[in-house]
Amino acid sequence: MLKTHNCGELRSSHSGQSVTLAGWVHRRRDHGGLIFIDLRDRDGLTQVVFNPEVSGGAHAVATGLRSEFVIQIIGRVEKRPSGTENSKLPTGEIEVLADEIKIYNASKTPPFYINEEVDVDESLLLRYRYLQLRRATLRDNMLLRHKVIKFMRDFLDGRGFVEIETPIMIKSTPEGARDYLVPSRVHPGKFYALPQSPQQLKQLLMVAGFEKYYQVARCFRDEDLRADRQPEFTQLDLEMSFVDEEDILVLLEELFTSLIETVTPAIRLIKPFARMAYAEVMDRFGTDKPDIRFGLEIKDISAILADSEFVVFKSALQNNGTVRGICLPGCAGYSHKQVEDLTGIARNCGAKGLISIAWTAGDGRQDVNSLQMEKIKSVVAKHIKAEDMKQVLEVFKASPGDLLLIAAGDRGLVNRVLDELRREMAKRLDLCDPDLMSFVFITDFPLFDWSEERKAWDSTHHPFTAPFESDIPLLEADPGKVRARHYDIVCNGYELSSGSIRIHNRALQEKVFNILGYGKQEVEDKFGSFLEALEYGAPPHGGIAPGIDRLLMLLTNSKTIRDVIAFPKNQAAADVMTDAPSAISDQQLAELHLRITGD
Ligand code: ASP
């Protein structure tokens, strides 16, 4: 190699050795006679000193060095003079006195600092992603990503899993998003789809008898992007035969626990992982992606207010809705403006308004039993009897000084509002411990969701998910009541993975397609060969696919998924570095039998 050591490697025990280092000029300081360079490679930084009395030639070359020049130096390791050590740097005890230098390549002045992570417009960072990847944060994220994936591979290998690649150009497999399509040149008018996930293929590998499969699988979904979504992303896709839910959940708990304890030991975990049924999480948190690192749980006060004459409550309850809220500790003193701001959040979720009930603090000895109604500040205070108000405060386990936020109306809307407020207030009150990962397994999902838009049933997970055996008789009679053998893993408010025990019987799979509104011909066209495979001894099987990018986002406490992917797309699904997507030539269009209509 063109170097004998890495830049993070040298210690005082190397003193006196002659070494060759190669890397980039991270920082250059000219102290009159002496020139100091922090030389950087992937491994770290080493201080290099150019002294005209040691080597006039090397010193002369060093005067021309600028940030990001790529160089090689040969020199001797010396202990730094006492008092000049840098305890923040692993190599801070030593420096290398340069005898020789070679410049491999100069560098233009980078468009942003590499040695300081000053915020600049993200489009500039993405345009020069290879330079941003030189910065410590992204470099460390990529190195961690490597370790995480290696750990996963080793862990699964140790448990008898086989890594098998599946094709990228396939027939569409539904996961609820739009497909990315690839036009075929040799089959005019026909298209491949990029996999939204290798779902059917991994099930076919179970039919093929592999029993335990995994793959670090790239998935493609054309959907609206958010901070935690990319058009292409990576899942640890796995599938097992002869298992039930428990086998998969235990495997995943062991994988995540040992991974985090080994690779990111500074992160704390709550063990064992929490488990909740879908109905319970919706009730307590208003979402199936709850962040359970903090409380602020939702409470239902509909029953207490059943006879209320207050029009907002009354109309909600008469229309089959609900009255629910959260309790913000110590927030009773919020100003009108602060409460209005929270009401604005509720309105953005579609609510007409929000009702606040402040229990203003008294002499510190108040409890619910000695409640004085004049301590309650709320537009609804005069509409709620003192007895009912006491019950409301009791349900929330409120204390003097707390603020209740109450939403009334349709259950879905109330949940959306309170989930949003709960997350927002956790941020504002600083309730989320960034070093804690709090996993929840969610089970007992409904098999179908009713889509108001399509006026039809959708799969909550995907169409291959098996119903509870005991609910099969309900499939035709009352699809909305059928529970699914589906489980999710959620961590700190993010859905990390979905999985399920699958249908392995043709007739049942056809019945589910039928309930989802697929016609006979459509089923044959889309899933004919898959259904046929189920007739050749398909074993019982199930699986899951944890999102690797989202996991890394949590492990690194990154704000966006882009920070853990080497070359991500921007929010508009574009790669601004290589300029993709881009137009193609008329000849390519003709070969692909395509015409751009410009609509
Ligand atoms: N294919 C599913 C998904 O991408 C995961 C699974 O069911 O294994 O969510």
Side-chain angles (χ1 to χ4, degrees):
M1 285 195 71
L2 303 176
K3 55 184 184 172
T4 56
H5 293 80
N6 293 325
C7 288
E9 197 177 339
L10 299 171
R11 301 287 181 273
S12 53
S13 57
H14 294 92
S15 299
Q17 280 187 29
S18 174
V19 295
T20 306
L21 301 178
W24 289 262
V25 175
H26 188 64
R27 209 172 267 121
R28 174 181 169 281
R29 297 179 300 279
D30 197 336
H31 284 194
L34 299 179
I35 295 173
F36 292 88
I37 296 285
D38 287 338
L39 189 65
R40 185 193 70 239
D41 66 10
R42 190 183 86 188
D43 193 46
L45 294 173
T46 300
Q47 176 162 291
V48 180
V49 187
F50 294 89
N51 182 337
E53 283 164 20
V54 173
S55 167
H59 181 270
V61 175
T63 51
L65 292 178
R66 295 292 174 267
S67 286
E68 301 309 311
F69 277 32
V70 58
I71 63 175
Q72 179 195 53
I73 62 108
I74 301 175
R76 207 175 58 248
V77 183
E78 303 236 304
K79 273 195 168 168
R80 290 197 196 184
S82 141
T84 66
E85 298 91 348
N86 181 351
S87 60
K88 288 198 200 114
L89 217 57
T91 60
E93 306 170 325
I94 58 96
E95 57 196 13
V96 175
L97 269 187
D99 294 315
E100 290 176 40
I101 175 169
K102 182 168 175 179
I103 298 181
Y104 287 125
N105 220 335
S107 169
K108 285 163 71 171
T109 303
F112 43 80
Y113 288 112
I114 286 168
N115 53 22
E116 275 174 57
E117 305 218 5
V118 188
D119 264 349
V120 289
D121 184 35
E122 199 189 9
S123 59
L124 192 65
L125 295 170
L126 288 172
R127 161 92 179 72
Y128 294 97
R129 186 66 164 181
Y130 49 89
L131 295 180
Q132 193 195 1
L133 284 163
R134 288 185 189 172
R135 284 178 158 189
T137 303
L138 252 62
R139 176 202 61 202
D140 290 348
N141 288 356
M142 290 308 122
L143 297 178
L144 182 71
R145 185 178 177 111
H146 161 74
K147 282 194 191 149
V148 164
I149 293 178
K150 174 156 187 337
F151 187 95
M152 290 171 163
R153 287 200 154 107
D154 292 345
F155 176 93
L156 292 171
D157 181 63
R159 290 170 184 244
F161 280 78
V162 186
E163 182 168 12
I164 302 177
E165 289 157 277
T166 53
I168 292 294
M169 296 198 300
I170 61 165
K171 189 170 173 120
S172 172
T173 197
E175 292 277 1
R178 238 178 245 117
D179 286 324
Y180 279 102
L181 298 170
V182 180
S184 164
R185 178 179 59 82
V186 286
H187 301 282
K190 296 199 170 157
F191 294 80
Y192 304 96
L194 305 184
Q196 293 190 32
S197 84
Q199 184 60 36
Q200 289 176 67
L201 295 160
K202 69 174 171 175
Q203 291 191 238
L204 293 173
L205 288 170
M206 294 303 104
V207 179
F210 283 97
E211 295 193 34
K212 291 179 177 182
Y213 140 95
Y214 84 95
Q215 179 181 193
V216 177
R218 196 60 69 80
C219 304
F220 305 84
R221 295 183 195 176
D222 186 359
E223 55 194 346
D224 292 340
L225 302 188
R226 295 189 307 230
D228 62 343
R229 273 199 196 148
Q230 277 279 296
E232 51 179 305
F233 57 95
T234 310
Q235 290 182 337
L236 179 65
D237 193 41
L238 47 99
E239 197 75 7
M240 298 167 86
S241 294
F242 310 114
V243 288
D244 61 24
E245 290 84 335
E246 198 55 24
D247 299 295
I248 300 203
L249 298 188
V250 167
L251 177 87
L252 265 281
E253 181 157 353
E254 283 172 12
L255 168 60
F256 282 129
T257 306
S258 56
L259 167 78
I260 290 167
E261 287 176 351
T262 313
V263 181
T264 50
I267 292 178
R268 287 175 298 110
L269 281 171
I270 296 186
K271 292 195 289 187
F273 292 0
R275 291 192 183 206
M276 289 179 215
Y278 173 78
E280 181 188 348
V281 279
M282 293 307 287
D283 230 42
R284 290 172 58 186
F285 306 101
T287 171
D288 57 3
K289 297 188 264 296
D291 190 339
I292 60 162
R293 283 175 298 174
F294 56 90
L296 307 186
E297 288 191 19
I298 297 172
K299 303 285 177 198
D300 193 329
I301 50 173
S302 311
I304 305 172
L305 301 173
D307 304 326
S308 169
E309 286 303 317
F310 184 60
V311 58
V312 177
F313 296 157
K314 195 171 171 174
S315 86
L317 295 174
Q318 272 173 354
N319 290 310
N320 235 342
T322 180
V323 183
R324 317 172 104 218
I326 55 173
C327 173
L328 308 178
C331 297
Y334 268 26
S335 65
H336 178 70
K337 189 168 166 299
Q338 279 171 303
V339 174
E340 258 311 295
D341 183 39
L342 298 176
T343 310
I345 295 176
R347 287 206 187 96
N348 283 343
C349 298
K352 289 211 190 76
L354 192 66
I355 290 156
S356 63
I357 302 180
W359 185 3
T360 55
D363 59 8
R365 275 184 281 116
Q366 296 175 71
D367 61 24
V368 171
N369 293 326
S370 59
L371 176 71
Q372 298 154 304
M373 279 301 276
E374 64 271 18
K375 295 283 183 206
I376 299 292
K377 303 279 176 259
S378 172
V379 289
V380 294
K382 55 179 180 297
H383 301 284
I384 300 184
K385 290 186 285 234
E387 263 322 297
D388 292 347
M389 185 60 84
K390 278 184 194 169
Q391 276 193 50
V392 167
L393 295 173
E394 246 163 26
V395 166
F396 285 102
K397 296 203 168 47
S399 304
D402 292 353
L403 177 71
L404 309 184
L405 297 180
I406 310 292
D410 163 73
R411 195 178 167 119
L413 173 67
V414 167
N415 277 346
R416 263 199 316 283
V417 168
L418 294 176
D419 168 41
E420 193 65 35
L421 286 168
R422 193 178 162 266
R423 288 173 200 258
E424 179 60 29
M425 287 314 301
K427 264 191 240 152
R428 293 191 189 181
L429 300 174
D430 203 13
L431 302 177
C432 303
D433 179 345
D435 298 321
L436 182 67
M437 293 199 37
S438 189
F439 287 87
V440 198
F441 286 128
I442 300 171
T443 56
D444 299 5
F445 282 86
L447 188 62
F448 304 110
D449 277 334
W450 181 254
S451 158
E452 264 312 316
E453 210 180 307
R454 294 198 311 113
K455 298 272 180 258
W457 292 107
D458 280 338
S459 291
T460 309
H461 183 212
H462 53 49
F464 312 106
T465 299
F468 273 38
E469 193 82 29
S470 54
D471 290 355
I472 291 179
L474 290 174
L475 273 172
E476 264 143 20
D478 197 353
K481 287 236 160 60
V482 178
R483 286 162 303 163
R485 298 184 72 183
H486 159 194
Y487 32 80
D488 270 5
I489 303 183
V490 168
C491 183
N492 295 3
Y494 288 93
E495 182 190 305
L496 274 189
S497 31
S498 283
S500 55
I501 300 299
R502 326 295 185 188
I503 297 168
H504 64 280
N505 161 297
R506 177 171 184 142
L508 184 57
Q509 184 66 76
E510 277 180 322
K511 189 174 276 181
V512 168
F513 283 139
N514 187 267
I515 294 169
L516 292 170
Y518 291 102
K520 240 190 159 46
Q521 194 52 47
E522 192 182 5
V523 169
E524 200 42 48
D525 292 348
K526 285 192 169 145
F527 306 106
S529 69
F530 179 76
L531 285 169
E532 192 181 4
L534 295 183
E535 294 181 288
Y536 283 96
H541 60 285
I544 193 158
I548 292 180
D549 314 288
R550 278 196 195 159
L551 175 67
L552 276 153
M553 189 177 154
L554 292 174
L555 293 176
T556 55
N557 228 327
S558 299
K559 287 204 185 64
T560 110
I561 201 170
R562 298 186 288 283
D563 285 352
V564 296
I565 297 175
F567 296 106
K569 310 278 186 289
N570 69 7
Q571 295 277 50
D575 174 348
V576 290
M577 184 178 67
T578 63
D579 185 27
S582 53
I584 58 170
S585 69
D586 289 344
Q587 189 193 339
Q588 282 173 305
L589 280 172
E591 279 169 0
L592 294 170
H593 321 281
L594 295 176
R595 200 167 46 238
I596 306 292
T597 62
D599 293 346

